[in-house]
Amino acid sequence: MKKLMLSLLAVASLGFAASAQNYNIKIGVKAGVTFPTFGVSGTENQGYSQKMSTSFYVGGTVDIPVSDIFSVQPGLSLVGKGGKTDFSYYNAELGNTYTATANSKISTMYIELPVNAVFNFTLGSGKIFIGAGPYYAMAISGKNKSTATLSGGGSTMTESGEEDIKFGKDGTMKRGDFGVNFLAGYQLSNGFNIHAGYGLGLSNLDYSDSNVSKVTNRVLSAGVGFSF
């Protein structure tokens, strides 16, 4: 699946670039905020809950017109992903009552290559654009901040820590991530635009590849950009 995604990205970029040689190709820059979280399966009824975190993105695009309303838009971005996880457990067996809670915040940074198909519709002095397409990303850094609390018997213990995330076979997370992007926005005639997007990760980030849990990236974003 990974090789297929990379092949689609390469073919889309090169093929549409060749067909667009008679059109005006534009370069764009963009930046904004991301609200990432994890999509997790296999942890139902086990006390886990997922919450959004906050990060940022910055990058550039190449807009290759194919017709008056359709263009192909490859790009390259630095994207903050990750998410927050809360865990709680309560035990009251045989009079031994205790509560365990834990929360962690995983912050990862990716270099991401998307290739989006974009449709443009004139509205007022500018245009509305909507699009979608595949992406492939590689993690370049990651941190996990966590806190755990155990309460019972009239006492409470709390521990906190921070560690770098290890990627690859010797780590806990896969470095590569692929999925599908969705975007929409409005661009003024001077090139300034506002936009929002959603990245739906399809690859399992859990290196164990267990049937118990599948972890994927989910990234909601909003920002501004400018096309030259």
Side-chain angles (χ1 to χ4, degrees), residues 171-174 204-213:
T172 58
M173 292 182 67
K174 292 181 179 179
N204 187 4
L205 305 175
D206 181 5
Y207 210 92
S208 66
D209 274 332
S210 68
N211 294 324
V212 176
S213 177

Side-chain angles (χ1 to χ4, degrees), residues 7-218:
S7 298
L8 289 174
L9 291 172
V11 170
S13 298
L14 297 177
F16 282 111
S19 67
Q21 55 185 331
N22 295 324
Y23 291 88
N24 183 25
I25 297 176
K26 293 187 176 181
I27 305 297
V29 293
K30 60 180 181 178
V33 61
T34 61
F35 303 97
T37 188
F38 291 115
V40 180
S41 61
T43 59
E44 293 82 359
N45 302 318
Q46 296 184 25
Y48 291 93
S49 62
Q50 306 299 320
K51 296 182 179 179
M52 282 186 175
S53 184
T54 305
S55 189
F56 72 94
Y57 70 94
V58 60
T61 60
V62 179
D63 194 73
I64 307 170
V66 177
S67 68
D68 291 338
I69 66 169
F70 177 68
S71 63
V72 172
Q73 193 179 89
L76 187 65
S77 299
L78 180 67
V79 183
K81 303 186 182 186
K84 297 178 181 179
T85 300
D86 290 342
F87 170 79
S88 62
Y89 179 78
Y90 176 78
N91 184 287
E93 295 181 359
L94 301 177
N96 183 20
T97 302
Y98 65 88
T99 302
T101 61
N103 60 77
S104 67
K105 178 183 178 182
I106 294 178
S107 302
T108 52
M109 194 63 64
Y110 285 78
I111 295 292
E112 183 170 295
L113 171 65
V115 177
N116 294 312
V118 181
F119 292 88
N120 304 275
F121 305 97
T122 300
L123 179 65
S125 60
K127 63 179 182 179
I128 292 176
F129 58 89
I130 57 174
Y135 75 82
Y136 184 77
M138 292 287 290
I140 58 174
S141 66
K143 285 188 177 294
N144 181 15
K145 296 181 179 180
S146 60
T147 301
T149 302
L150 179 64
S151 301
S155 63
T156 300
M157 295 185 299
T158 300
E159 291 188 4
S160 299
E162 179 179 336
E163 62 180 354
D164 292 332
I165 295 175
K166 294 182 179 180
F167 298 94
K169 292 182 179 180
D170 297 328
T172 58
M173 292 182 67
K174 292 181 179 179
R175 189 175 295 276
D177 174 37
F178 64 86
V180 181
N181 275 323
F182 303 91
L183 67 141
Y186 183 77
Q187 181 168 303
L188 300 174
S189 57
N190 62 5
F192 177 80
N193 71 75
I194 57 174
H195 56 265
Y198 184 71
L200 177 64
L202 300 178
S203 58
N204 187 4
L205 305 175
D206 181 5
Y207 210 92
S208 66
D209 274 332
S210 68
N211 294 324
V212 176
S213 177
K214 181 179 180 180
V215 182
T216 55
N217 278 317
R218 302 282 189 270

